[in-house]
Amino acid sequence: MRQRTIGTGPDTRREVSALALGTMLMGTRTDEKTSFAILDRYAEAGGTFLDTSNNYAFWENGDQGGQSEEVIGRWRRSRGVGDELFIATKLGARPLAPGTGYTDNAEGLSARTVRESSEASRERLGLERIDLLYAHIEDRGTPLEETVEGFAELVKEGSVGMLGVSNHSVWRVERARALAAAAGLPGYEVLQYQHSYLRPRTDIGDPLCRYGNIGGAGPDLLTYLEAEPGLTLVAYTPLLSGAYTRADKPLPRDYDHPGTAARLAVLGEVAAETGATPNQVVLAWQIGHELPVIPLVGASSVEQLEESLGALDLELTEDQRARLDAAA
């Protein structure tokens, strides 16, 4: 599988697969047998980058999550999988009690939570070290310095390899990175945000946070990524949960604007020219982007994963890419 370099430090720079596999619903909506089959096929294809979170998928069973990490841990042990995989997980958005959620009762990002939750994740995953640990959502009730120092301590101890951040305002990402740099501490090197070919509106609120639409990779974040070449964007929900190809999966309301029709038209043209599916074109567009973008795809079946894997063999021409980019 094609590779992508992430991280900039001598101790954090790693080669990972250009297509990451999301495991959010494994162990809940996706049963263990199917989950194992998907993980087997991804590894067989040369995939090395698995993504999960300590709260996946609490909303399925009304509990606190952790099933996805547990499935990965059981799969690793049953297959004898070691350090050849790069495993990322997140903390901060796990509900403190069953029946609650991250919008009203999240664990947050205090130094104590960062340590205790990361230790619990390592136990569920069966890892001595988490390769990449994200701050999942903002916690404005905890001083940013405390969060930065808490994450950095795990890297210094060796229980975490690299740090990332997801669903944060760009200014808070920059402030956290500046605090870490000023103190000589490891800081965030990977950003995980929702990003796809279609462009969402930025004036519609994000349910992740009352501070606005901060979960999507809007112009501010993409400009920041361009200005900071050491960062990598891991793009979640790149296929918009099936909306590009399935009539029963309507586009989210923030894509209801005139530019969507124009971009869908060009996407359809390029798909017809290449003989690929629209989903594969979207992934190939991201993988070949001039910015460092790694699509993060989910799959509820091996067949869905196969479609995504097919994007790795799709090379868009300069003309096709230019047309995709120019559509308004």
Side-chain angles (χ1 to χ4, degrees):
M1 186 178 290
R2 295 165 64 177
Q3 300 291 295
R4 168 80 72 180
T5 301
I6 62 173
T8 57
D11 298 324
T12 60
R13 190 176 178 87
R14 292 283 300 271
E15 293 291 316
V16 298
S17 52
L19 187 70
L21 177 63
T23 65
M24 183 169 66
L25 297 177
M26 291 186 179
T28 51
R29 195 181 307 176
T30 304
D31 64 52
E32 187 155 312
K33 180 179 179 180
T34 303
S35 299
F36 276 30
I38 293 168
L39 290 164
D40 286 341
R41 177 63 187 120
Y42 179 69
E44 178 186 49
T48 60
F49 192 173
L50 297 182
D51 179 271
T52 185
S53 174
N54 72 343
N55 72 339
Y56 291 164
F58 74 87
W59 54 92
E60 291 294 319
N61 297 331
D63 54 24
Q64 294 171 275
Q67 296 92 338
S68 172
E69 290 180 331
E70 291 169 351
V71 164
I72 292 173
R74 288 194 291 272
W75 173 77
R76 288 183 64 255
R77 288 187 288 271
S78 71
R79 304 305 194 254
V81 174
D83 295 339
E84 61 268 32
L85 288 186
F86 184 89
I87 298 179
T89 192
K90 314 173 196 72
L91 57 81
R94 182 179 171 91
L96 287 173
T100 62
Y102 55 72
T103 58
D104 60 346
N105 197 31
E107 62 183 350
L109 296 172
S110 69
R112 178 178 177 178
T113 294
V114 168
R115 175 168 296 280
E116 292 180 352
S117 288
S118 66
E119 289 174 352
S121 286
R122 285 195 293 120
E123 182 176 350
R124 285 189 289 266
L125 290 162
L127 296 172
E128 293 186 3
R129 186 181 80 158
I130 296 168
D131 295 300
L132 170 59
L133 182 64
Y134 291 98
H136 200 166
I137 60 173
E138 290 189 351
D139 174 13
R140 298 199 181 184
T142 297
L144 199 51
E145 294 86 350
E146 180 180 342
T147 298
V148 168
E149 291 169 4
F151 272 94
E153 191 65 28
L154 299 180
V155 176
K156 289 169 63 179
E157 293 174 358
S159 61
V160 170
M162 190 183 306
L163 301 176
V165 62
S166 180
N167 305 312
H168 281 56
S169 301
V170 177
W171 70 268
R172 285 182 64 83
V173 175
E174 172 57 19
R175 180 170 292 181
R177 295 181 70 237
L179 286 169
L185 300 174
Y188 300 137
E189 297 185 75
V190 182
L191 313 178
Q192 186 176 132
Y193 288 76
Q194 197 280 316
H195 180 53
S196 187
Y197 172 62
L198 293 183
R199 297 168 175 160
R201 291 169 55 182
T202 58
D203 59 339
I204 294 179
D206 182 349
L208 286 171
C209 181
R210 67 176 182 274
Y211 303 110
N213 189 1
I214 61 174
D220 286 350
L221 188 134
L222 295 175
T223 301
Y224 183 62
L225 187 70
E226 186 175 8
E228 297 289 337
L231 297 175
T232 300
L233 173 63
V234 174
Y236 70 77
T237 324
L239 303 180
L240 301 179
S241 302
Y244 283 108
T245 57
R246 292 178 54 177
D248 63 326
K249 295 284 187 177
L251 286 168
R253 65 190 183 100
D254 50 341
Y255 293 91
D256 184 13
H257 59 84
T260 292
R263 286 177 84 81
L264 284 176
V266 176
L267 178 63
E269 293 171 4
V270 173
E273 293 165 6
T274 58
T277 68
N279 285 340
Q280 290 171 331
V281 174
V282 170
L283 296 177
W285 175 79
Q286 287 191 329
I287 292 168
H289 204 284
E290 60 183 7
L291 295 177
V293 179
I294 298 177
L296 172 60
V297 297
S300 60
S301 67
V302 173
E303 290 73 23
Q304 284 186 357
L305 176 61
E306 291 290 358
E307 180 184 15
S308 295
L309 292 173
L312 293 161
D313 298 321
L314 177 59
E315 292 286 349
L316 301 176
T317 67
E318 290 185 9
D319 173 70
Q320 288 168 338
R321 183 168 291 279
R323 285 156 49 206
L324 287 165
D325 289 342

